[in-house]
Amino acid sequence: MCGIIGYVGPRKVVPVILGGLHKLEYRGYDSAGMAILEKGEVVVVKRRGKLKELEEAVTGIDYTATTGMGHTRWATHGKVEDRNAHPHVDCKGQLAVIHNGIIENYEALRQDLVKRGHVFVSDTDSEVIAHLMEDQVAAGADLLDAARVTALQLDGAFAFLVLGKAFPGRIVAVRKLSPLVLGVGEGEMVLGSDTPALLDYTHRIIPLHDGDVVEINEQGFAFYALDDGARLERAPMMVQWNASAAEKQGFKHFMLKEIHEQPVVIRDTLYSRIDIDTGHVDLQEFQGEAVPKRVSIVAAGTSYHAARVGKYLLEELARIPTDVSFSSEYRYGRPIVQPGTLGIAVTQSGETIDTLAALRLQRSLGAKVVAITNRPESTVARESEISFVTQAGIEIGVAATKSFMAQLIAFYLIALYFGQRNGVLDSDSSVRYASQLSSLSQKCEQVLEYAGMMETIARKFYKVHDMIYVGRGVNYPMALEGALKMKEISYIHAEGYAAGELKHGPIALLDQDVPVVGILPQGPLYEKVYSNLQESIARDSPLVVLGDKKDRRAQAIATDFIPMPTVDELFSPVVCALPLQLLAYYTADAKGLDVDQPRNLAKSVTVE
Ligand code: G6P
């Protein structure tokens, strides 16, 4: 939901801004812009469209500015047009602002500002910030106070940065709800919506807290409280990520690279948490905690599908009653949290605003809360009592792949851990499950060898308008996830169903133009799913089956058969995830679509 970068230091700032925006473009890519302090003036350049439009607009101009900020937009208020792109300026063009979030009371503020003679040029909520700042500065306020007093007038969620002609070498930023991270370099300071944008300059970071105001200048940084302006102490933390993780490394797209990284992600997430010989799972994160009586999971998007698999695992392996809710529904419902409930927020980014709000509600209702997140420095991680950090590394592709895999592995570990602790799992079954879990990384490597086959299948079907995915039990959420991947990046209408539900309505959609993708692992539900797939063949649907490599019956009925390594049904979601992702990837690629930046989506949704 918009990416923000700001820099003060010795370097020429335009390449710094463009480099940062490249790393943040996954957050929004409707338009991009920058404001720099060039020879004592505020210079603004902004363009609708992808970042390359902005790059072209500044190519060949030798800007010498060393203070500046940039923005990549995901439109909320105001169409995708140059004038609605950020930065926005005050009436005199002497103050510039970039903003991520939504100012909920902007209409009232705007009306009032217009009455007082301010002239607006955009339809955005964000422009009010520049004009409110203008009034403050006209009344004699310094940049810092002007930003703080302005922020106090705003309702909603925001992270904004301001700079001004009268304030050389300075940027002030304010955060309320929307994420913002400060990178503390040697003689240079950089602010960004997300850590990867800072890593070329420093690995020392300070995530801003809600209600933080920070000034950066050539001397360093200083934090203040939004409410009363009191000075705050904030110490930097080190992040280990390396900037090259955010490069494609020879793959055509980030998504493809990230799909191929999954065997390593599985190994990294399991590392030191499981003893294969004894089957013992050791989760330091939960040490000293009682086994919960109930689990209540909140999540959005792909994380929600991982949570649905998680429910199945917690109930199967640990016999803990578990419910799963969309964060956006949970937060506005009247959930009942019984004593002994463990709340789990699953979120790759740790910044999804609905999930953050749902987690806060869980806490306020008395649940102990755990974050399963890929971002230890994120707001959700900071606000949780326990963080289970998945080891997926930086994920750039907007469609989540390897972070989903890491979330699945986290749930296997947590379910096994609780199952062992509460005595549901004896040592034999622990050893068996641990060995299955440990073999998954290698099995996923085998599945990746079928990438070419997935491409061939995708090239057969990429022109269809509708697809249906079916699975049962632990693979029902995988049908949902397979369909979501397909929708997100190929724009094909795809729906996931519990295979047994096909006959209760969706079957009416089936004909020779609607392929069905069936997830058919060996196990107790095999015959049931097999019959459901027969039902779709009888309606002439082409049938793509993910089944055990030795399954001759499935091979006989499938139009296209994807051979999967032999695994226990309980672990089949892990091996099935890859072909489902690859099918979506190659379909989108066959259609010539922008796989890493699908239309209308953003990787991290920090608006409601
Ligand atoms: C956005 C992304 C999805 C993601 C969802 C939840 O909609 O496009 O890929 O699954 O947010 O994100 P989170 O960071 O909370 O897992």
Side-chain angles (χ1 to χ4, degrees), residues 364-382:
S364 72
L365 294 172
K368 179 146 229 161
V369 291
V370 182
I372 298 181
T373 181
N374 203 29
R375 310 301 294 266
E377 79 286 13
S378 65
T379 313
V380 168
R382 282 207 311 275

Side-chain angles (χ1 to χ4, degrees), residues 236-253:
M237 60 196 262
M238 287 299 289
V239 285
Q240 305 302 339
W241 286 349
N242 104 34
S244 71
E247 310 291 337
K248 285 189 204 141
Q249 293 167 356
F251 285 92
K252 185 169 178 192
H253 294 100

Side-chain angles (χ1 to χ4, degrees), residues 256-333:
L256 190 59
K257 170 185 161 238
E258 289 160 0
I259 290 172
H260 281 265
E261 283 171 346
Q262 293 177 105
V264 174
V265 168
I266 296 173
R267 271 198 288 275
D268 289 351
T269 305
L270 290 176
Y271 180 72
S272 82
R273 286 170 161 149
I274 189 158
D275 180 330
I276 307 177
D277 297 330
T278 61
H280 183 69
V281 175
D282 183 18
L283 300 185
Q284 297 291 328
E285 296 86 344
F286 292 95
Q287 240 180 19
E289 301 293 335
V291 175
K293 293 202 174 66
R294 302 190 68 88
V295 171
S296 173
I297 316 178
V298 291
T302 289
S303 296
Y304 172 81
H305 296 150
R308 293 283 296 258
V309 175
K311 167 186 162 69
Y312 193 92
L313 299 176
L314 283 159
E315 293 187 340
E316 178 72 24
L317 296 171
R319 305 298 296 142
I320 300 174
T322 301
D323 60 73
V324 184
S325 310
F326 287 121
S327 310
S328 55
E329 288 294 311
Y330 187 93
R331 64 179 295 194
Y332 293 116

Side-chain angles (χ1 to χ4, degrees), residues 300-303 346-350 352 355 398-400 407 488 602-603 605:
T302 289
S303 296
V346 190
T347 165
Q348 185 282 130
S349 62
T352 301
T355 302
V398 164
Q407 291 165 349
E488 281 181 311
K603 181 136 194 83
V605 181

